[in-house]
Amino acid sequence: MDNIKLFNATVALVFERCFNAFPNRINLDSVPLAVEIAELYPDEILTETKNDLDHEAMVVFDSIRWLIDAGYLWSRATTTNLSLLDVVLSPKGFEVLNSVPDALNSKESIGKLLSKGIKKLSSETINQIISAAITIGLSKSIG
């Protein structure tokens, strides 16, 4: 799976988890998230077995760190084993997930669409949702 598709799947899964848990903080472990994504896209994983997902787990971890650096999430700590602790949506992330962008042709917010579970969404739909979310977040950053 290419890094962009893995990034989009990670962002969708993390947004889903954080939105459903909000305002509670959650822990995110990149390895189980990588396994879950691998199960969603079994034909696209680069590794030979689901037990060898080092590349995917690192992309998942770096994707979550990017969401933190870009201001969508807050986290109190990271561990040495690719986990992030006490993760919660930031005000920016919460606002983005409560947005209803015209581009998605839906009356539901991004958070509601994702909260149904990414297993029910096509790869193309996930890409559209995450693209809309990042675009909205960028417009919030610029002013």
Side-chain angles (χ1 to χ4, degrees):
M1 172 180 299
D2 69 62
N3 286 1
I4 298 300
K5 190 168 188 176
L6 187 52
F7 171 84
N8 286 337
T10 300
V11 172
L13 194 55
V14 168
F15 276 171
E16 172 196 343
R17 299 267 164 86
C18 290
F19 186 78
N20 287 337
F22 191 81
N24 297 324
R25 291 179 177 268
I26 61 173
N27 296 333
L28 296 172
D29 186 338
S30 299
V31 175
L33 291 173
V35 170
E36 191 170 339
I37 292 167
E39 290 170 352
L40 290 173
Y41 305 105
D43 297 336
E44 297 185 42
I45 296 302
L46 302 174
T47 57
E48 292 184 22
T49 67
K50 290 180 184 168
N51 295 329
D52 184 25
L53 293 169
D54 292 341
H55 168 77
E56 287 80 0
M58 197 65 207
V59 173
V60 167
F61 181 76
D62 288 338
S63 297
I64 299 168
R65 292 291 313 157
W66 185 90
L67 288 170
I68 293 167
D69 292 344
Y72 293 94
L73 302 175
W74 289 339
S75 176
R76 290 195 178 139
T78 59
T79 65
T80 56
N81 64 351
L82 299 179
S83 295
L84 294 109
L85 307 177
D86 295 329
V87 178
V88 67
L89 290 171
S90 69
K92 173 183 172 178
F94 186 70
E95 187 175 355
V96 165
L97 292 184
N98 277 308
S99 298
V100 182
D102 293 334
L104 296 180
N105 296 319
S106 174
K107 295 188 186 313
E108 293 183 299
S109 71
I110 292 171
K112 281 289 186 192
L113 290 170
L114 293 174
S115 71
K116 295 176 181 179
I118 69 165
K119 292 178 182 176
K120 297 178 182 176
L121 301 172
S122 70
S123 176
E124 182 179 324
T125 300
I126 289 171
N127 292 345
Q128 290 172 342
I129 292 171
I130 298 311
S131 176
I134 300 299
T135 300
I136 292 167
L138 182 60
S139 70
K140 303 280 182 213
S141 299
I142 294 173

